[in-house]
Amino acid sequence: MDVKTTYAQTYKLNMGDAGLRGMLIKDILTDYAATDEDRKDLWRRYEQTLGSLPIDDKESSDISKANNKLKHDFRGEIIDSQTSYFIGISVSYITDKDMDEKKKDKVREFVDDNNLEDADNEIATRCAVCGSAGRLYYQLGGKFWIKNLFPWEAKVVHDDVTGKPLFGIYYYEVVDLNGGRITHAEFYDATTVQYFVQVGDNFIPDEYNYDLPEYADKSETTKETIYPHGFSEVPIVEFTNNNRKRGDFEKVEALIDAYDLVSSLNIDDIEELREAYLFLKNMTLTVTQKALLKKYHLLETLNEAADAKYITKNINPEHINSTLDRLKSDIYRLSQTVDFSDESFAGGGLSGESRKYKLLAMENRRLSKVVAFKKALDKQFKLLATGWSLLNSMEIDANDIYYEFTPNIPQDLSYYAEVATKLKGMISHRTILDMLPSTLVSDTDYELKLMKEEQDAYMSLMDMQSDETDEDDSEDEE
């Protein structure tokens, strides 16, 4: 999504050129066509689109021979496992306790209206497959909305000196009434958006009348007006899977393809055993004998020197299974993914804490994802803060919004109970509660409050019982 600095230099030197934007849209789309196609191919292979996998091109030397094309969805399993572990428990958006309630409501409104739980999962999946993805922000009906983008749908150019976004481009295709595909583009700078449409090889301003933000001066607009988009920064944020922008299964694709091929060839050999050649020694069959052999599977001869046997390929199942096991092990190991079907992990003999050690590689990858995701979320709320300032005259400090990521792993509650019990009396209640996972204690202050209320209620009950006992004793003495 992020593109080279030559475009930044061109943009800064020629900002007054009326045809500059259309030229940049065309040049960037052309220059990154090959890279975008590579990212599209990754997504196709993840979805196992017909013809997208190398095994689809497997051919047999003889059309009459078996030609199996087995596809093992390691790519899907790697992505689903990594993404579920990373963000299967949704990101928690937390506002500073000192933030004004109206501001907190505005943040919650954005999170709820855009269903960020699903949106974050979706963009995390796209990052895991393609290495990066984009998110477009726009204003509609007095609120701010998002649209998740694939990496080939958006490009962001940063200033080669300050590193700040200079402009962003969103590409998309529209099908016309005749079934033809027309490429459209939206060019965003720090404050405005301009719409373009491809005509021939060039991009020209689109003459469609777009809806304007509520605060825009509609009286001065024409068909080719550059519209304010409602923010003070480029409203496209890039999300990345890691600092290298690599997908989770890219490094093991050759191993996955080899697994498909070995499995397919093995099934071919097994099927061909049923069509083995019959070798006849010192005997010749007539047409009638061949028909009887086919019908009754019986050969009869008086020639003692005659012999008959099938010519078959010698299959070594142990070697094949060993090869497949090694490939499978390497796929999981090099992609830093746990094979959850492995008995050593799925077996009941492991505690929750022991399983965590087996998840160490996945945890390391999750942490790199968290760093990259937080970086994008920081940019997201800094951008939104400018929008809330313009639209609502509300100054919200993006640094007062925090995010909590929790790995999606079954918790061994007995382990935490044992630790908490052993530490009781050695350290404070607050410290013990802070050590517990958020699935048990999400708010330490609230939990301490409940504990105090229970303790007060218990003491009150004890006092009442003590008073009743004293009264009974007094009556007995009388």
Side-chain angles (χ1 to χ4, degrees):
M1 256 189 62
D2 191 14
V3 299
K4 53 193 178 185
T5 58
T6 52
Y7 294 115
Q9 296 165 357
T10 301
Y11 180 73
K12 288 191 295 183
L13 291 173
N14 302 277
M15 291 181 69
D17 187 346
L20 174 65
R21 293 184 171 190
M23 181 193 72
L24 286 171
I25 292 172
K26 173 187 173 182
D27 289 349
I28 292 174
L29 184 63
T30 302
D31 288 353
Y32 284 84
T35 301
D36 289 344
E37 196 60 34
D38 289 342
R39 300 296 99 183
K40 290 179 183 178
D41 284 341
L42 284 171
W43 189 261
R44 293 186 190 110
R45 292 196 289 274
Y46 164 65
E47 292 196 320
Q48 291 195 344
T49 306
L50 184 63
S52 64
L53 299 175
I55 194 66
D56 291 322
D57 298 327
K58 176 175 173 283
E59 296 180 353
S60 175
S61 57
D62 187 339
I63 193 173
S64 64
K65 297 291 184 181
N67 185 29
N68 288 281
K69 301 177 181 181
L70 305 183
K71 302 174 183 179
H72 300 81
D73 193 20
F74 284 110
R75 292 175 178 86
E77 185 175 353
I78 290 169
I79 296 302
D80 292 346
S81 296
Q82 293 284 358
T83 304
S84 295
Y85 182 63
F86 163 50
I87 207 167
I89 297 177
S90 305
V91 180
S92 296
Y93 292 93
I94 305 166
T95 52
D96 191 275
K97 61 182 181 180
D98 296 327
M99 182 184 286
D100 181 79
E101 284 301 321
K102 289 185 178 180
K103 296 179 180 180
K104 288 183 179 180
D105 290 342
K106 187 60 65 176
V107 175
R108 282 193 289 263
E109 178 186 74
F110 171 78
V111 172
D112 294 340
D113 287 349
N114 286 280
N115 193 10
L116 282 195
E117 180 175 339
D118 288 342
D120 288 345
N121 191 286
E122 178 185 56
I123 203 166
T125 300
R126 294 183 181 185
C127 288
V129 176
C130 304
S132 67
R135 180 173 283 177
L136 172 66
Y137 303 80
Y138 59 97
Q139 188 256 112
L140 184 65
K143 295 183 179 181
F144 292 109
W145 305 90
I146 64 172
K147 179 178 178 60
N148 288 336
L149 308 175
F150 285 100
W152 56 84
E153 293 180 314
K155 298 289 180 288
V156 178
V157 176
H158 292 81
D159 191 301
D160 53 324
V161 178
T162 65
K164 292 184 177 181
L166 276 178
F167 64 88
I169 304 171
Y170 165 41
Y171 300 94
Y172 55 96
E173 287 187 338
V174 175
V175 179
D176 62 20
L177 296 177
N178 298 319
R181 292 184 174 274
I182 302 173
T183 301
H184 288 251
E186 298 175 8
F187 190 102
Y188 294 88
D189 63 15
T191 57
T192 63
V193 55
Q194 186 174 11
Y195 299 89
F196 290 81
V197 61
Q198 187 175 23
V199 177
D201 292 332
N202 299 313
F203 281 86
I204 63 173
D206 192 352
E207 295 184 352
Y208 180 81
N209 252 330
Y210 289 88
D211 292 332
L212 298 179
E214 294 178 355
Y215 52 80
D217 184 358
K218 300 176 177 60
S219 63
E220 297 182 2
T221 61
T222 65
K223 289 183 177 180
E224 294 186 9
T225 299
I226 299 176
Y227 309 126
H229 53 55
F231 300 95
S232 299
E233 295 180 6
V234 176
I236 301 176
V237 172
E238 182 182 29
F239 286 69
T240 61
N241 194 45
N242 45 57
N243 57 10
R244 299 178 304 282
K245 300 182 184 179
R246 293 286 298 274
D248 287 341
F249 61 71
E250 285 190 61
K251 292 198 296 186
V252 296
E253 287 209 275
L255 296 172
I256 297 172
D257 297 336
Y259 193 100
D260 287 346
L261 183 60
V262 171
S263 300
S264 299
L265 292 174
N266 184 40
I267 298 301
D268 288 348
D269 289 340
I270 292 174
E271 288 188 9
E272 288 174 6
L273 284 176
R274 298 182 304 172
E275 301 177 3
Y277 290 102
L278 179 64
F279 173 72
L280 301 177
K281 181 180 179 182
N282 294 328
M283 61 187 302
T284 303
L285 298 182
T286 63
V287 174
T288 301
Q289 287 175 314
K290 289 179 181 178
L292 291 172
L293 173 62
K294 185 174 182 180
K295 182 176 181 180
Y296 297 107
H297 306 288
L298 178 67
L299 276 175
E300 189 176 36
T301 179
L302 298 176
N303 185 352
E304 294 182 358
D307 189 19
K309 60 183 178 181
Y310 282 106
I311 301 175
T312 61
K313 182 181 291 187
N314 199 7
I315 299 176
N316 185 347
E318 292 184 0
H319 174 69
I320 293 172
N321 289 335
S322 175
T323 300
L324 290 175
D325 287 344
R326 188 166 63 251
L327 284 170
K328 183 179 180 180
S329 175
D330 287 346
I331 289 169
Y332 284 114
R333 178 174 60 85
L334 296 175
S335 67
Q336 296 177 282
T337 306
V338 170
D339 179 5
F340 291 102
S341 65
D342 187 353
E343 184 62 28
S344 66
F345 184 86
L350 290 178
S351 68
E353 290 306 300
S354 298
R355 287 191 175 94
K356 282 186 178 180
Y357 288 107
K358 287 187 171 290
L359 287 166
L360 185 58
M362 282 186 72
E363 177 63 13
N364 290 335
R365 174 160 288 194
R366 184 189 76 87
L367 292 175
S368 69
K369 288 173 179 280
V370 168
V371 171
F373 214 84
K374 279 186 174 180
K375 185 178 179 180
L377 292 180
D378 285 341
K379 293 179 180 179
Q380 168 179 280
F381 284 104
K382 286 179 181 177
L383 171 68
L384 287 167
T386 70
W388 285 320
S389 177
L390 287 172
L391 181 62
N392 307 108
S393 299
M394 185 177 289
E395 302 301 325
I396 297 178
D397 188 349
N399 295 319
D400 289 339
I401 304 171
Y402 318 113
Y403 339 106
E404 184 176 281
F405 294 80
T406 304
N408 185 19
I409 180 175
Q411 301 289 345
D412 186 355
L413 300 184
S414 62
Y415 165 80
Y416 289 106
E418 181 181 355
V419 170
T421 301
K422 288 181 177 180
L423 292 176
K424 190 174 182 179
M426 299 174 61
I427 57 179
S428 69
H429 289 306
R430 176 178 291 277
T431 302
I432 293 175
L433 292 176
D434 284 340
M435 293 173 58
L436 300 178
S438 59
T439 50
L440 277 176
V441 179
S442 58
D443 187 332
T444 300
D445 290 329
Y446 180 68
E447 195 66 31
L448 286 170
K449 178 184 176 184
L450 291 180
M451 290 173 66
K452 188 176 186 310
E453 289 176 355
E454 288 182 355
Q455 185 179 13
D456 291 344
Y458 175 77
M459 293 304 296
S460 177
L461 179 62
M462 290 296 98
D463 289 342
M464 289 176 60
Q465 291 178 346
S466 177
D467 291 342
E468 291 175 358
T469 302
D470 291 341
E471 290 178 4
D472 291 340
D473 290 343
S474 298
E475 291 175 359
D476 290 340
E477 290 176 0
E478 292 176 0

